[in-house]
Amino acid sequence: MTKRVVLIGHPVAHSLSGAMQQAAFDHLGIDATYELWDRAPIALAEAIAELRTDDFLGANVTIPHKERVVPQVDRQTEEAHATGAVNTLTKEGKKLVGHNTDVPGFKTALDQLVGRQKMPRHAVVLGAGGGARAVVYGLIREGFQRIIVFNRHLHRAESMVKHFGRSAAHMDLRAMPWHESIIEAELAKAKILVNATSIGLTADESPVPAEILTSDLMVLDLIYAQTRLLRDAASAGCATSDGETMLLHQGAAAFALWTGQAAPLEVMGEALAAARAEGIRSAEGEPAGDAGAPVPEAATPAG
Ligand code: NDP
């Protein structure tokens, strides 16, 4: 019987995961299909209940459900529990286990960005959504000593910091108001800047002015494109990385959980590139209101 894996989100039409996961199933001869389920929040519980039937290997969960799905699983992994967000579901019989593979995906991206240099200890994170939770938890686990979170709505950053209270008790994790001068002052003390906002996803905009980027910063944008932030950072002499590595590796980790087999990374990477060439562009997390909006030339991923 063909097994099913689904991506549950709203919207999901522009998702890159379908191409990547289906290519991996096909390459390894696994009889499974990856389906996109567009489900509004009101229909989430019904969708989750359906997953408990025998047809399903598991699921991915994306915006806006990553936090909402937590109370609906029977067990959570440490990463899911710590972040309060689930992006992958697996089955144990009829029971559902919630995982957060954005955390290992981010770790791989961070390791690649830092390369052979010593892992820095101070970071600035822009954003306080589901992606930012995986980033902040990844940085805490990596041993960062100071992480400053800026978010348009400060209260959301504050509640994220509060959420991490216990796991961050040994270090300095703070939410600060989004003011250019404060961001500039914090960037002067940091080595890593992560953009976990969706600024730059659908318009050629940067969350910070180019002038405050200095060459000793390493800049990671979760968006799967050469965003204005990344282009400004490269011009300033910074090392940069877009969301491709994180997307690929969160998907690879999910694939391994569903199938028990190592993910064919090269095949998945090629499928991502092909889907992107066809104009599919979402790195899981496209804002619902902007679905289908044209991506500006300058924000189109390079290569
Ligand atoms: P959420 O909707 O949970 O969070 C969106 C974040 O962006 C919030 O911090 C929000 O601030 C901020 N934001 C949105 N619009 C604006 C704006 N106009 N001005 C200032 N801040 C803004 O989304 P996710 O955390 O899931 O995703 C965020 C980004 O990360 C997306 O671009 C997504 O594609 C990417 N992502 C990539 C992944 C990968 O594997 N590469 C994995 C996960 C995410 P506020 O709270 O104030 O509204």
Side-chain angles (χ1 to χ4, degrees):
M1 183 181 61
T2 303
K3 290 286 186 183
R4 300 167 73 187
V5 178
V6 296
L7 169 67
I8 307 174
H10 185 61
V12 289
H14 295 267
S15 166
L16 286 157
S17 287
M20 170 169 76
Q21 298 293 1
Q22 192 63 55
F25 291 142
D26 295 347
H27 179 75
L28 293 179
I30 297 170
D31 185 13
T33 57
Y34 191 92
E35 302 165 25
L36 306 181
W37 281 7
D38 190 331
R39 297 288 184 275
I42 196 163
L44 179 65
E46 199 182 318
I48 298 297
E50 200 178 336
L51 294 180
R52 294 179 190 276
T53 58
D54 289 343
D55 300 8
F56 294 88
L57 281 181
N60 277 139
V61 178
T62 190
I63 207 168
H65 302 313
K66 283 185 184 177
E67 292 159 49
R68 208 172 269 125
V69 79
V70 171
Q72 302 189 38
V73 302
D74 302 295
R75 184 167 77 75
Q76 295 174 63
T77 60
E78 186 235 318
E79 277 115 346
H81 181 71
T83 54
V86 161
N87 80 326
T88 300
L89 296 170
T90 58
K91 308 273 296 287
E92 282 173 356
K94 290 202 184 318
K95 294 200 166 157
L96 291 173
V97 183
H99 307 253
N100 190 323
T101 67
D102 284 337
V103 176
F106 170 71
K107 178 171 166 45
T108 306
L110 180 69
D111 286 346
Q112 283 188 11
L113 177 65
V114 172
R116 287 160 179 259
Q117 298 183 59
K118 193 167 169 281
M119 184 57 74
R121 292 289 170 243
H122 293 187
V124 167
V125 176
L126 307 176
R133 280 176 178 245
V135 167
V136 168
Y137 185 61
L139 292 169
I140 293 171
R141 250 195 0 196
E142 197 61 45
F144 275 65
Q145 289 304 309
R146 184 175 162 87
I147 305 169
I148 307 299
V149 182
F150 292 94
N151 197 50
R152 174 178 57 178
H153 295 106
L154 177 61
H155 66 89
R156 200 170 175 200
E158 285 172 339
S159 63
M160 180 170 79
V161 165
K162 202 164 154 207
H163 174 89
F164 283 117
R166 203 173 295 165
S167 32
H170 60 289
M171 44 85 65
D172 192 6
L173 171 64
R174 284 188 214 188
M176 287 195 182
W178 188 297
H179 287 305
E180 239 164 75
S181 59
I182 308 179
I183 297 177
E184 183 173 10
E186 286 304 325
L187 281 183
K189 296 180 224 160
K191 280 276 175 291
I192 299 279
L193 168 63
V194 182
N195 178 35
T197 74
S198 43
I199 302 172
L201 183 66
T202 54
D204 192 27
E205 292 168 355
S206 173
V208 294
E211 310 79 70
I212 69 174
L213 301 169
T214 52
S215 62
D216 56 341
L217 272 176
M218 293 181 245
V219 181
L220 179 57
D221 198 329
L222 263 48
I223 296 172
Y224 185 32
Q226 278 303 310
T227 54
R228 173 174 280 221
L229 170 65
L230 292 180
R231 286 182 279 121
D232 288 347
S235 302
C238 308
T240 64
S241 173
D242 74 13
E244 175 181 357
T245 305
M246 180 169 169
L247 181 68
L248 177 62
H249 285 269
Q250 64 76 28
F255 181 91
L257 287 167
W258 298 321
T259 64
Q261 300 194 41
L265 274 175
E266 204 172 311
V267 170
M268 293 172 86
E270 282 166 11
L272 273 182
R276 202 175 58 177
E278 279 171 30
I280 303 174
R281 61 194 165 81
S282 172
E284 317 314 311
E286 189 167 341
D290 291 320
V295 70
E297 190 68 25
T300 303

